[in-house]
Amino acid sequence: MRSIWNGAISFGLVSIPIKLVNATENHSISFRQIHKEDGGRIRYRKVCELEEREVSSAEIGKAYEDSDGSMIPITDEDLASLPLPTAKTIEIVAFVPAASIDPLQMDASYYLSANGVPAAKPYTLLREALKRSEKVAIAKYALRGRERLGMLRVVDDVIAMHGLLWPDEIRAPEGVAPEAPVSVRDAELDLADALMDTLGSVDLKTLHDDYREAVEELIAAKASGGTVVEQGPAERGGGKVLDLMSALESSVRAAKESRGEEGEEVEEGEDAGGGARVTELPRRKQAARKTAAKSTGTAKKAQAAKKTTAKKAATAKKSAAAKKTTGAKKTAPARNRRSSA
């Protein structure tokens, strides 16, 4: 892989020569602008507004536009004279837990490669120290004319660096959350949990860009002069959700069917909150306690029923024995009278 920046990692008094390599690549399909009438390429030319003529790259400089529209020229020499200690150095300033980094700050990703044999030892030392500490390094570095913030972490046997936005570049989410108060019922949370459990986990390596593949097929078909098969948009349940419970239940069913699983029976009906009822909800702690209590109650009822049955049997035996005794007493005098005769 081609390096885009050469410098060193400053780790205290240790300097580690490294090369910076892009860790990601863009697979998006790009298009050119053309003249619809004849297919000619549309190109943009750089024109000076004052002279109204096209200028070459050698004639183009940079400037800052002030609030009144005036241009303040800034030369490369002006920028080079500024104190920038991280111009060729990735300067580690702290080590922090990875969980303390807000994902909103994440930007571009790079691999850091040891530059030369002498760099292998300190590079490995830093990598193993990061592994053992289970922390990430926060560093400052300069790239493409500006100082940036970065996070160093270990990926397999390589040190990777993620560019971070400065904290003041993260906008506060003001006015984004729903303003109206909303209450969520346990039954709705149970169904949401069931849907999450049904969808389960996924191997990210199996995911791919379906739209890009469709565009590639379209380009190939047009290039070969073949027929382009028009495909309508995938059918999805759109519009306003009128019944959240029903939508969640349908989502659980669809997710289970797509995975070839047989879903639990869902009973249509209205509960106190106006949503559909579910015969069996996912196993949350509260549901588990209710089930345990119900099982205990059932067991107690069964035990009581057994005792009642046993009592009835004992009573029946006593009644039968009493009848036999009474019959025997009645028969005895009759025999005695026959004997006297």
Side-chain angles (χ1 to χ4, degrees):
M1 290 186 281
R2 187 174 63 86
S3 64
I4 60 172
W5 184 90
N6 290 350
I9 300 174
S10 175
F11 177 34
L13 297 178
V14 179
S15 181
I16 311 170
I18 57 98
K19 294 185 290 185
L20 197 67
V21 178
N22 278 321
T24 60
E25 54 188 3
N26 187 356
H27 289 166
S28 298
I29 297 173
S30 58
F31 297 100
R32 302 291 188 189
Q33 290 186 327
I34 61 169
H35 186 197
K36 289 183 178 180
E37 188 175 327
D38 54 19
R41 279 281 304 277
I42 302 297
R43 298 179 183 272
Y44 292 95
R45 291 181 170 82
K46 297 175 181 178
V47 176
C48 174
E49 291 182 350
L50 297 178
E51 298 182 5
E52 294 185 351
R53 69 175 181 89
E54 187 176 352
V55 295
S56 63
S57 297
E59 299 177 86
I60 298 174
K62 56 174 70 76
Y64 174 79
E65 185 175 1
D66 207 352
S67 57
D68 60 0
S70 61
M71 296 293 178
I72 304 172
I74 303 293
T75 66
D76 291 338
E77 290 74 18
D78 292 333
L79 295 174
S81 65
L82 296 176
L84 188 60
T86 56
K88 280 292 181 182
T89 305
I90 298 173
E91 181 184 352
I92 295 177
V93 296
F95 292 88
V96 300
S100 66
I101 304 298
D102 190 338
L104 282 173
Q105 286 187 259
M106 295 289 189
D107 202 2
S109 301
Y110 308 95
Y111 291 134
L112 304 182
S113 171
N115 194 359
V117 175
K121 177 75 173 181
Y123 182 95
T124 305
L125 171 65
L126 176 59
R127 183 190 69 198
E128 296 305 311
L130 286 170
K131 278 185 181 179
R132 191 165 72 172
S133 69
E134 296 184 347
K135 292 183 177 181
V136 297
I138 302 301
K140 286 183 175 183
Y141 67 102
L143 185 65
R144 299 187 181 98
R146 55 167 290 199
E147 189 170 54
R148 302 166 188 263
L149 195 62
M151 179 188 79
L152 277 63
R153 70 183 184 99
V154 178
V155 177
D156 296 333
D157 290 329
V158 175
I159 298 175
M161 182 172 73
H162 301 274
L164 298 178
L165 299 174
W166 295 99
D168 60 0
E169 293 178 315
I170 305 297
R171 299 172 62 184
E174 295 176 358
V176 179
E179 295 182 2
V182 178
S183 61
V184 178
R185 293 177 292 135
D186 285 341
E188 292 167 339
L189 282 173
D190 288 337
L191 277 172
D193 285 350
L195 179 56
M196 291 166 65
D197 292 340
T198 304
L199 292 175
S201 59
V202 66
D203 183 359
L204 293 179
K205 294 179 181 178
T206 63
L207 301 179
H208 58 279
D209 188 345
D210 293 321
Y211 179 75
R212 178 169 59 87
E213 291 181 359
V215 173
E216 288 173 348
E217 291 175 5
L218 171 66
I219 293 171
K222 286 209 165 190
S224 62
T227 304
V228 179
V229 179
E230 293 187 5
Q231 296 181 354
E235 291 184 5
R236 284 184 175 272
K240 186 177 180 181
V241 178
L242 298 177
D243 188 342
L244 181 59
M245 292 287 286
S246 296
L248 285 168
E249 289 164 2
S250 299
S251 299
V252 172
R253 285 196 200 95
K256 287 184 176 180
E257 288 172 4
S258 68
R259 290 175 177 263
E261 300 174 8
E262 292 184 3
E264 296 170 348
E265 290 298 323
V266 178
E267 209 176 277
E268 298 297 336
E270 297 296 320
D271 62 7
R277 243 175 337 130
V278 180
T279 304
E280 195 171 325
L281 296 174
R283 296 173 179 78
R284 293 169 60 86
K285 289 182 180 178
Q286 188 177 0
R289 286 197 294 269
K290 287 181 180 178
T291 304
K294 192 180 287 185
S295 299
T296 305
T298 304
K300 285 181 178 179
K301 286 180 180 178
Q303 192 173 359
K306 284 182 181 178
K307 287 181 179 179
T308 303
T309 305
K311 282 183 180 179
K312 286 182 178 179
T315 302
K317 284 182 179 179
K318 285 181 181 179
S319 178
K323 285 181 180 179
K324 285 183 180 179
T325 305
T326 304
K329 286 180 179 179
K330 288 180 179 179
T331 307
R335 284 179 179 172
N336 291 335
R337 283 196 299 271
R338 284 197 298 271
S339 299
S340 301

